[in-house]
Amino acid sequence: MKAWTCFRHNLFLGLTLLALASCSGEGGGPTAGGGTGGTGITAGTTGVSVGAITAFGSITVNDDKYEIGGASISGDGQNGLTENDLKKGNIVLVNATISGNTRTATSVSFEDTVEGPVESVAPDGLSMVVLGQTVQIDNTTNIDNSIPGQDILNLNTELDLNPGVDIVEVSGHVKGDGLIAATLVELKLGPTDLEVKGFVKNHNAGAGTFEIGLLTVNYQQFPADITDMPNPAGNAWNDLFVEVKGDLFDPVARELRATKVEPQGLGVINANNLEVEGFVTSVLVPGSDFTLGVLRVQTTMSTVFKGGTPDEIVTGVKLEVEGVLLNGVLMASKVSFRESVRLESDVATISPPGTPTRTLTLVELNSPALQVTVNSQTQLDNIANLDAINVGDHLIIRGRPTGATTVTATEVKLDAGKTDVILQGAVDSAADPFVVILGVT
């Protein structure tokens, strides 16, 4: 899994992109790579949505507003909570009824993704290691009650963390092995639980251990409750998405003594309406069968694609998918492409002119190595049409990678008078003191 990084001029800003890995959890929270579990959701619910809370006044999840006045609210094993217990950035699972444009939640549940001692904080303050998991933040991450809309949030500045002493609770999306994109980071005071969600690897049934990221989990020492897990013999546990609760962490051995290990899932296999946002983690059949985190998605001839085409569904692309959940598979009615790259610079070249698809290169971004495709599905802001884009224009571009040095733009904004140069994307390689992002060193 590539790390996502942003550079403004030559200053490292460390922006990381969010990813939604799966949905689930016992105790009623989200997991979708962020963790919610058995919430009592039954087949035939009118609507299910998994994502981060982005606004209040009721709550907004995946760009939809849900009225929660009469909803039951639970989180981290506690029932009977109120709206005051919810925070911006909580990954929630919302069960709702839908009538026209009104969405009324019947239940809202949330869980953290990792909770434990801070092992280390990166020098730039934009990532940290907690229970062997690398926690990334970006400008959408909420840190306690920090003011939204800041260009960059800094863990050291906002929380003044002391590795080896402080304990944090993180809500976010599991992007891959040992990598969490944080939507909310909170400093915990006093005794706290030890919890982590992630994908099992290197399971050793004889020793009673497995790994999640850099963490070793020992489930025989206590021993842990594993009654909900498959028979530990063989390799049946590897690649499962699980939640681990523990009571003792050895920072030297980086080992967690588990008290309970359980598999995580959405908590429902059928739903009339399901909305999830995340990153494509694998493609089974190009354009029509893929996984979003750990949720399998299939498209049909009637699926509507917004901002991209089926052949552009590749690993690492960020999508929002809506549809019907049928026997655990999301049958997509709509697939919307989300940006995972941000570029800002002056236009160096445009070719070919007068066509519905243009290729741009940008000044100061290794032009012409990095090429940006702008097409009829690209949203234009402050620009009348493709013919109105000129060499020398200062553009802010959001898009998705389609190759090692190619990006398809989902949004292009003309911002005359600015001189910023920004490069945000996946780190292809690193050799001190250089990194390569989208082919740009």
Side-chain angles (χ1 to χ4, degrees):
M1 178 68 67
K2 295 180 177 180
W4 288 87
T5 304
C6 173
F7 285 81
R8 185 190 301 269
H9 294 296
N10 292 320
L11 298 179
F12 174 72
L13 298 182
L15 287 179
T16 58
L17 301 180
L18 299 184
L20 177 63
S22 88
C23 314
S24 77
E26 180 264 348
T31 297
T36 101
T39 57
I41 298 173
T42 58
T45 52
T46 302
V48 178
S49 184
V50 178
I53 296 176
T54 55
F56 284 98
S58 285
I59 58 173
T60 299
V61 179
N62 292 334
D63 297 326
D64 291 318
K65 181 178 179 180
Y66 292 86
E67 303 296 334
I68 61 173
S72 63
I73 300 176
S74 60
D76 290 337
Q78 299 182 59
N79 297 317
L81 302 180
T82 70
E83 183 176 346
N84 292 332
D85 296 302
L86 298 173
K87 295 185 178 182
K88 191 178 291 186
N90 278 142
I91 302 292
V92 294
L93 186 150
V94 182
N95 186 21
T97 58
I98 302 173
S99 178
N101 293 325
T102 301
R103 295 169 181 257
T104 304
T106 56
S107 67
V108 178
S109 58
F110 65 91
E111 289 182 3
D112 54 85
T113 311
V114 63
E115 184 174 354
V118 176
E119 298 181 61
S120 63
V121 178
D124 54 37
L126 297 173
S127 67
M128 61 182 171
V129 177
V130 181
L131 292 183
Q133 315 304 300
T134 298
V135 178
Q136 301 176 327
I137 69 168
D138 68 4
N139 61 316
T140 67
T141 305
N142 295 276
I143 299 181
D144 263 353
N145 297 317
S146 58
I147 300 172
Q150 298 179 67
D151 284 342
I152 291 296
L153 301 177
N154 186 296
L155 289 169
N156 282 324
T157 301
E158 299 293 329
L159 291 179
D160 191 23
L161 294 174
N162 297 299
V165 177
D166 288 331
I167 296 173
V168 294
E169 180 177 333
V170 177
S171 296
H173 306 304
V174 176
K175 299 173 64 175
D177 179 40
L179 189 60
I180 297 170
T183 52
L184 173 64
V185 178
E186 302 175 79
L187 182 65
K188 305 295 289 186
L189 301 176
T192 187
D193 298 326
L194 299 174
E195 299 178 354
V196 62
K197 293 180 175 69
F199 296 95
V200 173
K201 66 178 181 181
N202 299 326
H203 178 225
N204 185 328
T209 62
F210 59 86
E211 297 172 9
I212 297 177
L214 300 175
L215 177 72
T216 296
V217 176
N218 189 318
Y219 63 88
Q220 275 191 357
Q221 188 177 0
F222 187 70
D225 177 0
I226 60 171
T227 54
D228 292 331
M229 293 291 289
N231 188 320
N235 297 317
W237 286 23
N238 284 331
D239 299 322
L240 287 180
F241 191 80
V242 299
E243 178 186 51
V244 179
K245 296 181 179 180
D247 65 349
L248 183 66
F249 174 63
D250 180 348
V252 177
R254 210 173 234 161
E255 182 171 293
L256 175 66
R257 184 172 72 180
T259 57
K260 188 170 185 177
V261 182
E262 58 186 338
Q264 299 283 279
L266 184 60
V268 59
I269 62 171
N270 296 287
N272 293 336
N273 184 285
L274 175 64
E275 298 180 2
V276 293
E277 185 179 60
F279 282 76
V280 176
T281 52
S282 67
V283 176
L284 307 175
V285 179
S288 64
D289 195 344
F290 57 94
T291 56
L292 197 66
V294 296
L295 179 65
R296 187 171 179 180
V297 180
Q298 293 181 344
T299 65
T300 68
M301 293 294 293
S302 62
T303 301
V304 175
F305 291 86
K306 182 179 179 180
T309 57
D311 61 297
E312 294 175 278
I313 298 177
V314 295
T315 301
V317 168
K318 190 178 185 182
L319 306 174
E320 180 181 326
V321 181
E322 303 175 25
V324 175
L325 186 67
L326 185 62
N327 295 324
V329 178
L330 179 54
M331 308 303 296
S333 59
K334 182 179 178 181
V335 175
S336 300
F337 288 74
R338 299 298 195 190
E339 74 279 359
S340 56
V341 168
R342 183 185 176 194
L343 309 171
E344 184 170 349
S345 185
D346 294 341
V347 176
T349 64
I350 307 173
S351 64
T355 61
T357 299
R358 312 290 171 86
T359 299
L360 310 180
T361 64
L362 302 172
V363 177
E364 296 188 67
L365 293 181
N366 269 23
S367 175
L370 177 58
Q371 299 184 334
V372 180
T373 297
V374 183
N375 56 35
S376 60
Q377 296 190 32
T378 302
Q379 179 181 331
L380 301 178
D381 188 355
N382 204 27
I383 303 171
N385 51 51
L386 292 181
D387 291 330
I389 300 176
N390 300 300
V391 170
D393 283 347
H394 188 83
L395 302 182
I396 299 173
I397 299 170
R398 293 189 180 275
R400 56 190 179 277
T402 51
T405 59
T406 56
V407 172
T408 294
T410 55
E411 181 181 3
V412 175
K413 178 181 179 180
L414 176 64
D415 202 350
K418 290 190 67 177
T419 59
D420 289 351
V421 177
I422 295 177
L423 171 62
Q424 174 178 297
V427 175
D428 300 318
S429 62
D432 189 24
F434 302 105
V435 296
V436 178
I437 304 172
L438 294 169
V440 180
T441 301

